[in-house]
Structure formats: structure tokens, C-alpha cells
Amino acid sequence: MSTPKIVILGAGYGGLMSAKGLQKELNYNEAEITLVSNHSYHYITTKLHEPAAGTSHHDHARIPVQSVINTKRVKFVQDRVTAIKTNEKAVHLESGKTLAYDYLVVGIGSAPETFGIKGLLENAFFIRNIDGVRVLREHMEYSFAKYQTEKKDDLITIVVGGCGFTGIEYVGELVDRMPSLCREYDIPLEKVRIVNVEAAPTVLPGFDKDLVDYAVKYLESKGVEFLLSTPIEECTEQGVMLKGGQEIKAATVVWTGGVRGNKMVEEAGIETMRGRVKVDEFLHAPGFDNVFILGDSSLVFPADGERPYPPTAQMATQQGQALAKNLSAKIRGREMKPFKYEAKGTVASLGSKEAIGMVGNRKLMGGSASFMKKIIDMRWLFLLGGISLVIRKGKF
Amino acid sequence: MSTPKIVILGAGYGGLMSAKGLQKELNYNEAEITLVSNHSYHYITTKLHEPAAGTSHHDHARIPVQSVINTKRVKFVQDRVTAIKTNEKAVHLESGKTLAYDYLVVGIGSAPETFGIKGLLENAFFIRNIDGVRVLREHMEYSFAKYQTEKKDDLITIVVGGCGFTGIEYVGELVDRMPSLCREYDIPLEKVRIVNVEAAPTVLPGFDKDLVDYAVKYLESKGVEFLLSTPIEECTEQGVMLKGGQEIKAATVVWTGGVRGNKMVEEAGIETMRGRVKVDEFLHAPGFDNVFILGDSSLVFPADGERPYPPTAQMATQQGQALAKNLSAKIRGREMKPFKYEAKGTVASLGSKEAIGMVGNRKLMGGSASFMKKIIDMRWLFLLGGISLVIRKGKF
């Protein structure tokens, strides 16, 4: 019998943790492991709001994949997946190549959920990957630069759609960035408008009210305008049209209003809900005992809950770790253990010095929450590359 | 008899040197001196190609006006001149104010000479002032950032119109900037195109042939393409159309092809040639013994020549120095001395380490020319603000 082929799609949190776990668990003759990613680097999605606002360089939010995996054990292929063919047990790549698999681990991330808002994909920016946030940052800077020559207020108006985690964290970074940005382009700080628009009636829905109040008060004190219970009807080249007919003219519109599963999973003939796959306790795709789905494309439900856990880096990381153990067990003919998500707390940064968070039942705000956020960032670096990566990439 | 009012328009080389000379020559009861500029800062035009390419920050190319004049002797008014009314002996300002003068010194700079090329003013960038080069730099960076998401070659193609001094110096800076710019946006350096287009058959027309050859060879070795004897017919949003029908698609088109006088001078009823005023030996506007024209709006002819001297910072500086002495003499009832331009040499930089130049009859190239260029820059800082400004702003 030949060595089983494991193909991992995506070098995000789930994919990388799977690869790192498998390279540790399995001997070289137990499996051929291949990791496929369209970028040569992993990007730290939970930090993308920083380079998006320009408060840190995008290189602080990416790590070369080959620097954190053992390339003798895991073969890295930089290519774009174009199709998953479950009937052929193969993956098709943009280069024209195909990769046969015995076991497939799918961690290819999400797509923006636009809720059918017209013009959003064409005219808004998204905080989703390095290339995208770099364009967003440059677009904002270019718009600010033009203010002195064109004197139009929309050039220095930023609309952020969505008051969820990404929206709030991005707005927090913008607030940090504005003083130096305005100095750079000779713009009076008070002329800048940052408007955070949300269809739901609250900021950070589901989060502790005291913490939300703290965050809103802090951001408002820095000039951020919140428009709650205000759906965006359309995004145009000029800005956004709100429900009720109000228009906000803004050169920069950033949509953070949610994600859905990657459509390639649906196209693979796997049953999905809004592009996401309700996986079983072993993270199997329904009906496939050799296909596993991790991260943003998976849906995991709590034992007692009706609403799935939100798709987070923490979830994907734990799934990757569990998958590596389970798949190793399966290959060795042992029993797999049901995956249980363990919520370790959630912290949302509000720029570099402020944050809010829940760790266990403890509410954190201000400096202590901000410190906790840095610890969480470092933990991921430690999981990826040990203490040396923490030292190289960590923000102290 | 009341104290004569001297109004100086423009804080460029000519205007600032006039102000500094007059504040030194005249006692406080001999004249009221007012300096008008639409910016709070003087910009060092001869260095603008650096921030335009992004090889240095734009703050290195500007100096607050009030830091280099004696504000007890010279009143500084930050406003935009909208009209010069020689019949009223007054200047109209954007704020609605008017300034009466007994003596007027006009150093309000130039406008781009487009030679009637269609679309140039709308679609090209110009290396003319701080606001403009900041937008140009940001536009280039934004275009480069988009390359990873849009993969269009025109995003990383830069067309520079004009192979005169500004064109060549800007191209030299671009060549210096490209390696780091490409690293920043994950672009292979060899994919970038820099095309320098010139209607005339030579680079730097009128300059020593050996030096021109040196410059062209150096820039070509860095990948610059020269298209000589190639007039631009039209500049569009997509790039340039060349004579003969060839199109170069380029996101960034920069026009350095020449300057003409400021049209406000013409509108003042002063006789001009292409917007410039052929001044007499005392820098008088023809027919006015109380209006002086300096810098780019003036035309000075050599004693034996038919072609006027080119409009340079060196010319404007010497005019300002001479004007201050002559106007002081006139106010005191003494005789004015004819202005004689003294060519002190010309150096064109090719990035930070290379240059070509003529100083007297000596040809300079490479490091020695580059060193001379830095000395010339420092000399201007010294004239403006003494040794302390040289230390603060000089590049060593």
C-alpha cells in the first residue's frame, strides 16, 4: 500500500496549524503532506487592521510560510486552487497542475458577505489580505494628499461599514493614525470625518454592554461618528447611500460587515449554508470521510446553542490542532476524538493603547485589555515559530 | 512724505532674496516691506524632484517663510494674489483685501508650458510645488500597490515628458527609488517601465555632449528608455499618444517640458513674450519705474545673445540680491546699478550618488558632480538661513 497523500489547502490559521501538527505527529513514511497557498506568506488576519490604517507596516502582518514549516516534511506549493474535485480525489491549480489526495484539508478562508448591497464589491475596500490592505492604505493616503490641491471634503471622509470586530479595530487604528496623517498632508485634524455605519442597533453585537459603551465613548471622544440601525443601501464611486436616502460622500469606503464561505467549497458539491459547511465533530464535510473543513468555511455549533460560533482565528487554530491529531490517529487506525472549541477570551483593540476584552468572566478595558491583546498576538507567533518568531515579529 | 511701501509678491528665490536684502539694507523708517505668498513656506524648487519620486520627504524641500525673514522688518501676508492693478498701484488678494504699493516686486513664478498638447493639464502631473509633488508621489505608490490586485502593466509604467533638467533629475531619482518601491509592493523590478519622452533630438539640449552621453548611459543602464525626437500628441487618462500614432499606456505621466510666465503678469497690462517680461537692466517691467519682475516671469538676455538665459533658481537668486540693493539705492535717491547675471555653473543630479555638471569650463561627472550639487543646495540654505539652516536641512 502506498503512503497516503494529505493535501492542505490554505496557509491561514487552520491550514498552517494542520501542517505543523501533522509534521510533528507523523513520521515521514506515514504520509506525504502538501500545503498549497496562493501566497508565499501566511498573513496574520487579526492584525490586518493595522497596515490597513497604516499604523504598522504590512510586513509585520505576514510571515513566509517556508520559515515556519519543516519543508523536508511538508511540501509547499505556491499556486491558486481553482477547483476541488471530490469525485477525482484531486485539486486543480491555476498553473494547470492537479494534486491527487487521499485526505483533503480545506482551509481556504472566506469571501466578503455583502448582503446584496449594490456596488460594494466594485467600490469598497476590504480588510482581507495583505494586497488588499496595502491598496486601501495607499488609496487613503493618495486621497488625503489630493485634499490640498482639490479641497474636497469627501477626500478626507472615511466610511467604515460594519461595527463588528474588524470594523471597530480598524476605526481604532484610524484614530491613532490621523494626527500623523494630517500632519503629513497639511490637513487640519478636525476636518477629517470617520463614520462607522452599522445596520444592527448596537456596536459589537453580543459583546458585554459595559465594554461596548467603553469602546464607543473612547472612539467618539476621538471624533468617530457612529450611525447605528442604519443599513447601507448602495456603495458608489462617490460614497454610500444610506437607507432613508441620506448620502455620505467619501473617497474611502471600507466594508467589514461580515464574511461568508469560499464558493469553491460549494462548487465542490459539498453541502453549505451561506457558503459555509456544517462539519461533524471530527470536522468532516458531510458525506465525506476524507475531506475536512477548517476555519472560515466551516460552521461549528456549540452543544447547546442554535447560533454557530463566529469564525475567528482562535477557532481555526484550535481546529487545525485537533485535525492534525485526529488525522494522524486515523492514518494509524486509531480512534479520532470529537473536536470541542474552547473559548479563551476575546479582545478587541482600539488602537495601540486601548482595548476591550472578555477573558473568562473578567472584563478588561484600557491598558490591561491592550496588554492582553498583545499577549494573544504573541501566542500565535509562538505557536507558529517559537520564541524566535515572537522576538522577531512581536510588538512590545 | 510717508514711508514708501514695498510689496513683494512670491516667496520663491527672487522674492525671498529681495525681502532678505531689503530688510538688511534699509532702516525701519525708510520703507514698509510686505511679502505675500500663498503658502506659509518657501519651497526649494531645485529639490522637488526628490519628494516627487519619494527619495526624500517633502519637508526637506520646504522652509517656513517666517523662520528665514525678520518679521519685525518684513510683514508676511499668507494670501493668494488674484490681480495686479498697476493703475491703482495695488494688489488684490483672494481674501478680499488689497495691498497698496509704491514699489512692487513680482516674483510669482511660472506656469507649465504645455505647447498646446491636449489633455496635459488634466491628466499629467507636474513637478512645481509641494502639494503637487506629494500628490504625484502618492499617485505612483497607489498605482504600484494596485499592481498586485489588478496585474496591469500600465500601473507600473511611468512616462516622463521632457528631457530637460527637471525631467532628467526626476528620472534619476525614480531610478534610485525603484528597488525599495518594488520591494514595498512585491513587484519584480524588471517589470517597471520608465520612459523619458522628448520632442527635441537630444537630452538636455545645449548641455555639453560628453556629459549628456554620461547621463544617458547611466540612466539607460538602470533601465530607463529614452524616446527622442518624439513629440507627445495627447495625454489621456490611459497614458500618452505619441506622434506617429504609438500609444504608451501609463498610470503616471509627468510633464516637465517647460514653463512659461504667470498669466497674472500679462493681465496686469505688462508687455510679455509667452507670459514672460523682457525686463530692463534694472529689472523694471517695460514702462513702469516702480514695478520689478524677477525669476521665472522675467526674461533676461545676455549682452551678446539672442536667446534669453534659462529661468533658474540661480538667476532668480541673483536678481533678488541685485533688486534689494538697487531698490534701496533708489529709495535713498542714489543710482541703481545694471544687473549682470553671473553663471556660476550648472549641475544636474542623477539620483543621490550620480550627477553631471559644468562649473566654469570644468566638466564634472559622477561623484564629484554629485558633491558639487550638494554644495550648491547648501549654498542656498546658507543664503536663506545661515549655517544653522544648513545644519538642520542639509543632506550630508
Side-chain angles (χ1 to χ4, degrees):
Chain A
M1 199 191 122
S2 70
T3 319
K5 290 184 173 69
I6 303 173
V7 172
I8 303 166
L9 306 183
Y13 293 85
L16 263 192
M17 274 299 105
S18 301
K20 285 189 72 81
L22 288 165
Q23 78 186 16
K24 195 178 143 199
E25 297 281 339
L26 293 173
N27 292 321
Y28 77 98
N29 57 357
E30 288 181 291
E32 273 178 27
I33 309 167
T34 305
L35 175 65
V36 184
S37 168
N38 57 343
H39 291 111
S40 62
Y41 49 82
H42 161 77
Y43 46 89
I44 307 171
T45 318
T46 59
K47 291 178 92 172
L48 284 177
H49 53 283
E50 294 178 16
T55 46
S56 79
H57 192 271
H58 53 261
D59 280 344
H60 289 293
R62 64 175 169 179
I63 297 160
V65 171
Q66 301 192 65
S67 73
V68 292
I69 57 168
N70 177 351
T71 49
K72 286 183 191 137
R73 290 292 297 118
V74 176
K75 189 181 165 200
F76 179 64
V77 174
Q78 191 188 337
D79 210 330
R80 188 182 295 274
V81 179
T82 52
I84 298 165
K85 300 284 184 185
T86 47
N87 53 340
E88 301 172 13
K89 296 220 290 187
V91 171
H92 292 209
L93 303 177
E94 198 176 46
S95 64
K97 288 181 195 146
T98 60
L99 282 175
Y101 66 79
D102 296 300
Y103 299 101
L104 183 67
V105 181
V106 180
I108 46 175
S110 57
E113 172 61 83
T114 62
F115 302 105
I117 298 171
K118 226 173 107 182
L120 213 47
L121 284 177
E122 298 78 6
N123 299 309
F125 292 89
F126 299 88
I127 299 176
R128 288 173 38 74
N129 53 39
I130 296 286
D131 293 335
V133 299
R134 192 161 50 185
V135 173
L136 162 54
R137 188 198 73 209
E138 291 297 344
H139 171 81
M140 176 178 72
E141 292 176 359
Y142 181 41
S143 301
F144 273 59
K146 281 193 284 192
Y147 182 75
Q148 274 300 328
T149 52
E150 301 183 11
K151 304 277 182 198
K152 287 184 200 144
D153 288 338
D154 61 318
L155 290 168
I156 53 172
T157 300
I158 301 168
V159 170
V160 180
C163 290
F165 256 74
T166 309
I168 290 295
E169 290 198 308
Y170 173 57
V171 166
E173 295 300 321
L174 282 179
V175 155
D176 272 15
R177 178 88 202 278
M178 281 309 134
S180 64
L181 196 68
C182 286
R183 222 176 301 125
E184 178 72 12
Y185 301 106
D186 300 324
I187 295 166
L189 182 57
E190 64 277 10
K191 290 210 173 245
V192 172
R193 269 186 87 188
I194 300 171
V195 189
N196 200 344
V197 184
E198 168 64 54
T202 54
V203 166
L204 293 171
F207 216 61
D208 178 86
K209 196 182 166 302
D210 290 347
L211 296 177
V212 170
D213 287 350
Y214 182 90
V216 169
K217 205 170 280 180
Y218 169 73
L219 294 172
E220 282 183 339
S221 79
K222 298 290 180 179
V224 175
E225 301 166 46
F226 286 98
L227 289 181
L228 305 178
S229 304
T230 310
I232 293 175
E233 295 258 288
E234 189 181 347
C235 180
T236 67
E237 279 183 38
Q238 281 74 47
V240 290
M241 298 295 301
L242 304 178
K243 196 171 176 179
Q246 199 202 332
E247 181 180 12
I248 305 177
K249 287 193 192 289
T252 307
V253 178
V254 184
W255 180 249
T256 69
V259 295
R260 51 176 291 135
N262 193 308
K263 74 175 192 303
M264 250 184 303
V265 177
E266 235 170 295
E267 291 166 355
I270 296 168
E271 192 191 324
T272 60
M273 301 162 65
R274 267 190 19 200
R276 289 215 176 95
V277 180
K278 189 177 166 181
V279 291
D280 73 8
E281 56 192 345
F282 306 114
L283 307 175
H284 284 125
F288 294 91
D289 66 355
N290 65 338
V291 178
F292 303 86
I293 316 276
L294 314 180
D296 290 355
S297 287
S298 73
L299 275 180
V300 177
F301 286 78
D304 57 344
E306 282 178 19
R307 285 173 63 96
Y309 288 113
T312 60
Q314 204 180 147
M315 168 63 82
T317 303
Q318 292 185 26
Q319 288 177 321
Q321 290 169 324
L323 180 280
K325 286 211 159 61
N326 274 340
L327 187 49
S328 303
K330 187 168 189 158
I331 284 172
R332 288 168 176 165
R334 295 185 195 150
E335 211 157 295
M336 299 200 286
K337 285 184 189 152
F339 168 68
K340 272 213 178 61
Y341 174 65
E342 195 187 327
K344 289 189 171 150
T346 316
V347 183
S349 67
L350 307 165
S352 71
K353 293 201 181 68
E354 285 282 344
I356 52 170
M358 290 294 291
V359 177
N361 287 322
R362 263 192 80 190
K363 295 177 193 179
L364 299 174
M365 41 188 113
S368 57
S370 184
F371 181 73
M372 186 56 69
K373 177 79 179 181
K374 290 183 181 79
I375 298 288
I376 294 169
D377 284 348
M378 281 185 211
R379 185 171 176 274
W380 172 241
L381 293 175
F382 182 75
L383 285 175
L384 268 190
I387 195 70
S388 74
L389 190 64
V390 175
I391 290 166
R392 269 190 295 134
K393 291 275 182 175
K395 242 190 179 179
F396 299 100
Chain B
M1 200 191 121
S2 71
T3 319
K5 290 184 174 68
I6 303 174
V7 172
I8 303 166
L9 305 183
Y13 293 84
L16 264 191
M17 274 299 107
S18 300
K20 286 189 72 81
L22 287 165
Q23 78 186 17
K24 193 176 146 200
E25 298 280 339
L26 292 174
N27 292 320
Y28 77 98
N29 57 356
E30 287 181 292
E32 272 176 31
I33 309 168
T34 305
L35 175 64
V36 184
S37 168
N38 57 343
H39 290 110
S40 63
Y41 49 82
H42 161 77
Y43 45 89
I44 306 172
T45 317
T46 59
K47 291 179 91 172
L48 284 177
H49 53 283
E50 293 178 18
T55 47
S56 80
H57 192 270
H58 53 262
D59 280 344
H60 288 294
R62 64 174 169 179
I63 295 161
V65 171
Q66 300 192 65
S67 73
V68 292
I69 58 168
N70 178 351
T71 50
K72 287 183 191 140
R73 290 292 298 119
V74 177
K75 189 181 164 200
F76 178 63
V77 174
Q78 191 187 336
D79 210 331
R80 188 182 295 274
V81 179
T82 52
I84 298 165
K85 300 285 184 185
T86 47
N87 53 340
E88 302 170 14
K89 297 222 289 189
V91 171
H92 291 210
L93 303 176
E94 197 175 46
S95 63
K97 289 183 194 147
T98 59
L99 282 176
Y101 66 79
D102 296 301
Y103 300 101
L104 183 68
V105 181
V106 181
I108 45 176
S110 58
E113 173 62 84
T114 61
F115 302 106
I117 298 170
K118 227 174 105 182
L120 213 48
L121 284 177
E122 297 79 6
N123 299 309
F125 293 89
F126 298 87
I127 298 176
R128 287 173 38 73
N129 54 39
I130 295 286
D131 293 335
V133 299
R134 192 161 50 186
V135 172
L136 162 54
R137 188 199 74 208
E138 291 297 344
H139 171 82
M140 176 177 73
E141 292 175 0
Y142 181 40
S143 302
F144 273 59
K146 282 193 285 191
Y147 183 75
Q148 274 300 328
T149 52
E150 302 183 11
K151 304 277 182 200
K152 289 184 199 144
D153 288 339
D154 59 321
L155 290 168
I156 52 171
T157 301
I158 301 168
V159 170
V160 180
C163 290
F165 256 74
T166 308
I168 289 295
E169 289 197 310
Y170 174 58
V171 165
E173 295 301 320
L174 283 179
V175 153
D176 271 15
R177 178 83 202 278
M178 281 309 135
S180 65
L181 196 68
C182 287
R183 221 176 301 125
E184 178 72 11
Y185 302 105
D186 300 323
I187 296 166
L189 183 58
E190 65 277 10
K191 291 212 171 241
V192 172
R193 268 186 87 188
I194 301 171
V195 190
N196 199 346
V197 184
E198 168 65 53
T202 53
V203 167
L204 292 171
F207 216 62
D208 178 87
K209 196 181 167 304
D210 290 347
L211 295 178
V212 170
D213 287 350
Y214 182 89
V216 169
K217 205 170 280 179
Y218 168 72
L219 293 172
E220 283 183 339
S221 78
K222 298 290 180 179
V224 175
E225 301 165 47
F226 287 97
L227 289 181
L228 305 177
S229 305
T230 309
I232 293 175
E233 295 257 288
E234 189 180 347
C235 180
T236 68
E237 280 183 36
Q238 282 73 47
V240 291
M241 299 295 302
L242 304 178
K243 197 170 177 177
Q246 198 202 332
E247 181 180 13
I248 305 178
K249 285 192 192 290
T252 307
V253 177
V254 184
W255 179 249
T256 69
V259 295
R260 50 176 291 134
N262 192 306
K263 75 174 189 308
M264 250 184 302
V265 176
E266 236 171 295
E267 290 165 355
I270 295 168
E271 191 191 326
T272 60
M273 300 162 66
R274 267 193 14 202
R276 288 216 177 95
V277 180
K278 189 177 167 181
V279 290
D280 72 8
E281 56 193 346
F282 307 112
L283 307 175
H284 285 123
F288 295 91
D289 66 355
N290 66 338
V291 178
F292 303 86
I293 316 275
L294 314 180
D296 290 355
S297 287
S298 74
L299 275 179
V300 177
F301 286 79
D304 57 345
E306 280 178 20
R307 285 174 63 96
Y309 288 113
T312 60
Q314 203 179 149
M315 168 64 81
T317 303
Q318 291 185 28
Q319 287 177 322
Q321 290 170 322
L323 180 281
K325 286 208 159 62
N326 273 341
L327 186 50
S328 303
K330 187 168 189 159
I331 284 171
R332 289 170 174 163
R334 295 184 196 151
E335 211 157 295
M336 298 200 286
K337 284 182 189 155
F339 168 68
K340 272 211 178 64
Y341 174 64
E342 197 187 326
K344 290 189 169 149
T346 315
V347 183
S349 67
L350 306 166
S352 71
K353 293 201 178 68
E354 285 282 343
I356 53 170
M358 289 293 291
V359 177
N361 288 321
R362 263 191 79 191
K363 296 179 195 179
L364 299 174
M365 41 188 114
S368 56
S370 183
F371 180 74
M372 185 56 70
K373 177 78 179 180
K374 290 182 180 80
I375 297 289
I376 294 169
D377 285 346
M378 282 185 210
R379 184 170 176 275
W380 172 242
L381 293 176
F382 182 76
L383 286 175
L384 268 189
I387 195 72
S388 74
L389 190 65
V390 175
I391 290 166
R392 268 190 295 134
K393 292 274 182 175
K395 243 189 181 177
F396 298 100

